[in-house]
Amino acid sequence: MKKQIKTMTTVFAGLGLTLGLIFTSCKKDMNTTPNNTTNNTSTPPADGSLTNATQFYGIFTCGSYTSIQVGGSPYTYYGGAAYFTSSAQAFMNSTSSVKVNKVYLNADTLTYTPILSYYTDYNYPNMASATWSVNGANGIGTFSMTHSVASPSFVVASILPDSISLSTGFSATISNVSNFTGAYFKVFASINTTLGTTEKALIAGNNVITVTPADLASLPTSTNGVISINLENKQGIIYSSKAYSFSREAQYNKHIKIKP
């Protein structure tokens, strides 16, 4: 089966930690019995605990990915990716990535990709369940978990165009949007560059998207444009006192021409 690799946007994020030391002193009365002292220590969160963290030591994604070339038929594949970092990040960032001993998705070994600095595989027949197992290293713990949230879903209710015009815009209908923490309708000048992007958030249920010339003002003409529908259902979960992000995804990419 042909393998395809998603392009991931990387950003830099920092994590700061401030330590404060408070010193106190007192005069001891030799005729007074000292008070008992209680040391309060915080209990680390249990493995599997949910967290509202926005930066993570590992980012796990899996789901269904559909691609349509200009004039072609839809091609859908199922896959997953895992990224690990030495400092908590909001997104995959190759400059801080670290390797672990092994990563498994549904008992299959993911392969490390040096250029992208994460582990991936796109040979799955389906993604009805997602069990992740990590044999840790470089500060990443060893754990196994099944991510049981529902997969995002939607229906492309209108035929997306093979080409769009910057001067007139276009519209599209996306229906039955459900099971998501984030959902977006995007237009790229090229899926592999930042030449220009416009984005609109989707809501649950039915969406009629109108893309105006003003929305497309940052895009150049292109023969490699993309209309992209991106849904994720994400949770932050704690393992070995570190936050990890786990996402079920559904993506639909229609390759288009962008005309004046």
Side-chain angles (χ1 to χ4, degrees), residues 81-223:
Y83 158 85
F84 304 96
T85 174
S86 57
S87 59
Q89 304 288 328
F91 301 95
M92 294 184 181
N93 175 6
S94 61
T95 62
S96 66
S97 66
V98 296
K99 297 177 69 174
V100 296
N101 290 324
K102 289 286 185 179
V103 187
Y104 305 91
L105 176 56
N106 294 342
D108 291 330
T109 303
L110 273 64
T111 302
Y112 184 75
T113 305
I115 295 176
L116 300 174
S117 300
Y118 59 78
Y119 297 81
T120 187
D121 191 10
Y122 286 87
N123 282 326
Y124 296 92
N126 62 63
M127 198 60 66
S129 63
T131 297
W132 294 96
S133 297
V134 177
N135 184 344
N138 294 314
I140 303 301
T142 296
F143 63 88
S144 181
M145 64 88 70
T146 298
H147 195 215
S148 57
V149 301
S151 296
S153 63
F154 61 91
V155 175
V156 182
S158 61
I159 297 176
L160 297 179
D162 287 335
S163 65
I164 64 172
S165 170
L166 296 175
S167 61
T168 58
F170 68 102
S171 62
T173 301
I174 312 300
S175 301
N176 301 336
V177 178
S178 61
N179 302 328
F180 64 92
T181 56
Y184 301 94
F185 183 95
K186 303 179 182 182
V187 182
F188 300 93
S190 172
I191 201 167
N192 294 318
T193 72
T194 56
L195 292 177
T197 303
T198 186
E199 177 181 296
K200 292 181 179 289
L202 299 175
I203 62 173
N206 300 328
N207 296 255
V208 177
I209 304 297
T210 299
V211 181
T212 68
D215 294 326
L216 299 171
S218 67
L219 277 69
T221 58
S222 173
T223 58

Side-chain angles (χ1 to χ4, degrees), residues 6 62 67 70 78 97 140 158 173 182 198 205 216 220 227 229 236 241 246 255:
K6 298 181 299 171
C62 67
S67 180
V70 176
Y78 298 85
S97 66
I140 303 301
S158 61
T173 301
T198 186
L216 299 171
I227 297 173
I229 303 164
S241 298
F246 294 87
H255 294 259

